[in-house]
């Protein structure tokens, strides 16, 4: 059974600081997704990572994938209040029958 | 592009009522749609995979007679929560895949918040 674990689950940080959210998964997969969820809202797609060593960046967020370690990271650079949300990683693809398995989510609060 | 519309966005009803939630792909055809449930402060849990023209595939522990899924067209899947009870109160989210292949991304609806009194 595929398990996806995120760390930390809760993160409170000050504006301007950097931090990394980690996503570990238990079995081989060929794609990893990062999503953002604001309170009471659905998911917003951030990144899709398809291969070992993949790195994608959008604004202050950068995601990377190490398939050998079964690890993805979401790095936040110079955080701003608008980044406050819950971030989920999800693993899926051919080997999981196209179903997505989500991590527990990381609730990020950026304080002014 | 790739917009998924979910309706209604919020439902409050009495225990014992059956509730239908619609998930529509507005600008693409979706052979496969997914239904998720999310309890407060928790992650999304896949309930079932809905394939157009065939029976849905339910995840372990999800009662198929309780959560009826119909995917009658390439743009519409419905989830009916039958005889809903307070423990069914949750945030239900659908997603739709844009193509035939499992490596294509899912696009999520805005979710339906179901509250059973």
């Amino acid at each position: 059974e595929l398990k996806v674990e995120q760390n930390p689950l809760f993160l409170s940080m000050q504006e301007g600081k950097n931090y990394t959210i980690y996503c570990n998964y238990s079995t081989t997969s060929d794609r990893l997704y990062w999503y953002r969820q604001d309170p009471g809202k659905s998911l917003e797609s951030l990144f899709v990572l398809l291969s070992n060593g993949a790195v994608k960046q959008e604004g202050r967020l950068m995601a990377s994938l190490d398939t050998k370690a079964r690890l993805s990271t979401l790095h936040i650079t110079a955080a701003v209040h608008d980044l406050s949300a819950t971030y989920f990683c999800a693993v899926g693809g051919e080997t999981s029958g196209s179903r997505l398995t989500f991590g527990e989510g990381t609730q990020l609060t950026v304080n002014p | 592009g790739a917009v998924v519309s979910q309706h209604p966005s919020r439902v409050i009803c009495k225990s014992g009522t059956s509730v239908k939630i619609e998930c529509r792909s507005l600008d693409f055809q979706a052979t496969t749609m997914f239904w998720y449930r999310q309890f407060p402060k928790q992650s999304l849990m896949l309930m079932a995979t809905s394939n157009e023209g065939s029976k849905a595939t339910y995840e372990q522990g999800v009662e198929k007679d309780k959560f009826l899924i119909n995917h009658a067209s390439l743009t519409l899947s419905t989830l009916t929560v039958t005889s809903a009870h307070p423990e069914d109160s949750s945030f239900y989210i659908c997603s739709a895949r844009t193509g035939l292949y499992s490596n294509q991304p899912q696009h999520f609806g805005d979710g339906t918040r179901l509250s059973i009194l």
Side-chain angles (χ1 to χ4, degrees), chain B residues 20-33:
Chain B
K20 180 185 284 188
I21 303 169
E22 293 186 348
C23 181
R24 292 182 185 271
S25 56
L26 296 187
D27 51 0
F28 65 98
Q29 293 184 332
T31 55
T32 303
M33 291 185 174

Side-chain angles (χ1 to χ4, degrees), chain A residues 30-31 33 35 37 39-43 45 48 50 88 93-94 97-100 102-105 107, chain B residues 32 34 36 38 41-44 46 49 59 91 93 97 101-106 108-111 113:
Chain A
D30 55 5
R31 63 206 65 243
Y33 303 84
Y35 295 95
Q37 186 178 39
K41 304 292 185 182
S42 188
L43 300 183
S45 179
V48 179
L50 301 177
F88 290 96
E94 286 288 349
S98 81
R99 303 195 315 276
L100 290 181
F102 283 82
E104 307 99 320
Q107 186 175 322
Chain B
T32 303
F34 302 87
Y36 297 87
Q38 185 181 32
K41 303 293 186 183
Q42 294 188 24
S43 187
L44 278 74
L46 179 65
T49 302
E59 295 299 303
F91 192 47
I93 306 174
R97 198 174 65 205
Y101 301 103
S102 60
N103 61 357
Q104 289 168 301
Q106 296 181 26
F108 288 84
D110 288 337
R113 189 162 303 281

Side-chain angles (χ1 to χ4, degrees), chain B residues 28-88:
Chain B
F28 65 98
Q29 293 184 332
T31 55
T32 303
M33 291 185 174
F34 302 87
W35 288 96
Y36 297 87
R37 180 167 55 185
Q38 185 181 32
F39 292 109
K41 303 293 186 183
Q42 294 188 24
S43 187
L44 278 74
M45 297 298 294
L46 179 65
M47 299 175 66
T49 302
S50 167
N51 295 294
E52 187 268 334
S54 63
K55 291 183 179 180
T57 302
Y58 289 82
E59 295 299 303
Q60 193 172 8
V62 177
E63 300 175 59
K64 60 182 180 182
D65 295 330
K66 173 83 173 171
F67 300 98
L68 301 179
I69 292 173
N70 184 290
H71 193 159
S73 78
L74 286 171
T75 60
L76 173 65
S77 176
T78 61
L79 168 68
T80 301
V81 184
T82 61
S83 187
H85 292 285
E87 59 266 28
D88 298 321

Side-chain angles (χ1 to χ4, degrees), chain A residues 14-91:
Chain A
Q14 286 187 311
E15 281 192 327
K17 298 295 185 181
N18 305 331
Y19 207 84
T20 300
I21 300 171
Y22 298 88
C23 175
N24 289 94
Y25 53 99
S26 60
T27 62
T28 303
S29 180
D30 55 5
R31 63 206 65 243
L32 187 135
Y33 303 84
W34 283 97
Y35 295 95
R36 167 181 173 147
Q37 186 178 39
D38 291 297
K41 304 292 185 182
S42 188
L43 300 183
E44 174 190 350
S45 179
L46 296 175
F47 301 108
V48 179
L49 301 169
L50 301 177
S51 60
N52 187 43
V55 177
K56 289 193 174 180
Q57 183 165 5
E58 181 73 35
R60 300 175 188 274
L61 301 178
M62 183 173 72
S64 66
L65 178 62
D66 181 343
T67 58
K68 294 180 181 178
R70 297 176 186 161
L71 170 68
S72 180
T73 61
L74 180 66
H75 187 72
I76 303 156
T77 301
V80 293
H81 180 68
D82 287 350
L83 289 179
S84 298
T86 298
Y87 293 85
F88 290 96
C89 65
V91 175

